[in-house]
Amino acid sequence: VAIDGPAGSGKSTTSRLLAHKLGISYLDTGAMYRAVALHFVQNELLTSDENLSSVIDSISIDIKNNSVYLNDVDVSSKIRTQGVSNLVSEVSCLPLVRSKLVEIQRSISRNQSIVIDGRDIGTVVFPNADFKFFVTASIEVRAIRRYEEMKLSDDNIDINQIMKDIRERDRIDSSRSHSPLIKANDAILIDTTDLDIDQQVNRILEIINKQN
């Protein structure tokens, strides 16, 4: 099950709960890109670094029991900070990063049923997925959701700044030349602006059950 969509659309929470209801695995690819961005932040690296290839090769990322590991260290509580959010789109644009993480995503997903969410899952990572959804919501609603999520780890977070950052991230993600954020032609659009999490999950579950 491939679920794509912009930041704050609710796709990660929906995907996690959907996987639980289906009794299959879940993979949060956004968390993987955030882990790479965290590595850049922690090591004061630039995306224009001449040694970028060796930097990417040195990064190890894994997801175990819903926790994100960067070079064997659990960084789940560190990848949702504003600093990481500010850099993740720039890092995600790097072809070297995307190629490495797509390889990891395909390896993790091999030979098992899985719900996997991101921005290019239905178009690039798994174009032949059995089910494809594109989840979206209004900018205002997405900003509120991201604020509620980020304030747990950052007391100084500002919702107006979050809204500005989301607009910019949408622009970057949708216009990048490598694996842009776009709806796959055969993906089903789910607008979650007026839906709570349970309604989002149930709507997708109903579609899967009807088609399965």
Side-chain angles (χ1 to χ4, degrees):
V1 182
I3 299 182
D4 289 309
S9 58
K11 64 183 181 297
S12 295
T13 303
T14 296
S15 298
R16 186 179 294 107
L17 293 174
L18 179 66
H20 178 73
K21 289 199 171 190
L22 291 171
I24 61 178
S25 300
Y26 162 65
L27 181 61
D28 180 355
T29 64
M32 299 174 74
Y33 284 100
R34 283 178 170 275
V36 176
L38 176 63
H39 182 79
F40 274 72
V41 171
Q42 290 179 331
N43 294 278
E44 298 182 349
L45 299 170
L46 300 175
T47 55
S48 57
D49 196 311
E50 292 181 359
N51 300 316
L52 193 59
S53 180
S54 60
V55 169
I56 303 305
D57 287 341
S58 70
I59 297 175
S60 169
I61 295 175
D62 196 7
I63 296 183
K64 298 179 287 188
N65 300 320
N66 294 324
S67 294
V68 183
Y69 289 82
L70 171 63
N71 295 334
D72 298 321
V73 176
D74 187 346
V75 295
S76 304
S77 63
K78 298 179 180 179
I79 62 173
R80 302 293 174 184
T81 62
Q82 188 63 47
V84 170
S85 294
N86 291 342
L87 187 62
V88 67
S89 282
E90 186 178 344
V91 168
S92 298
C93 286
L94 299 171
L96 282 171
V97 172
R98 301 204 72 84
S99 295
K100 174 161 184 162
L101 292 195
V102 166
E103 182 180 333
I104 294 173
Q105 291 156 15
R106 287 174 175 164
S107 176
I108 291 174
S109 306
R110 190 171 293 122
N111 300 321
Q112 67 169 321
S113 293
I114 194 168
V115 177
I116 180 169
D117 73 278
R119 285 168 173 73
D120 62 348
I121 309 305
T123 54
V124 176
V125 186
F126 290 108
N128 297 317
D130 294 309
F131 301 96
K132 295 182 187 179
F133 298 93
F134 191 88
V135 177
T136 189
S138 70
I139 288 281
E140 292 77 14
V141 167
R142 288 193 281 140
I144 291 171
R145 290 172 179 169
R146 184 49 54 87
Y147 172 79
E148 293 297 327
E149 177 184 78
M150 295 180 66
K151 73 178 183 180
L152 298 175
S153 58
D154 191 343
D155 294 334
N156 299 316
I157 199 68
D158 176 69
I159 193 167
N160 292 317
Q161 184 60 47
I162 290 176
M163 192 177 299
K164 180 180 177 181
D165 292 341
I166 285 178
R167 289 185 188 278
E168 178 62 10
R169 186 165 185 192
D170 284 354
R171 185 192 66 78
I172 294 173
D173 288 348
S174 300
S175 61
R176 67 187 179 217
S177 58
H178 196 282
S179 303
L181 168 66
I182 55 172
K183 175 183 171 295
N185 291 332
D186 54 348
I188 297 172
L189 179 67
I190 306 290
D191 189 328
T192 69
T193 300
D194 298 316
L195 302 179
D196 62 27
I197 288 298
D198 288 336
Q199 291 171 325
Q200 294 175 40
V201 174
N202 290 335
R203 180 166 296 186
I204 293 175
L205 193 59
E206 286 175 5
I207 294 170
I208 291 175
N209 287 335
K210 283 182 180 178
Q211 296 183 14
N212 207 359

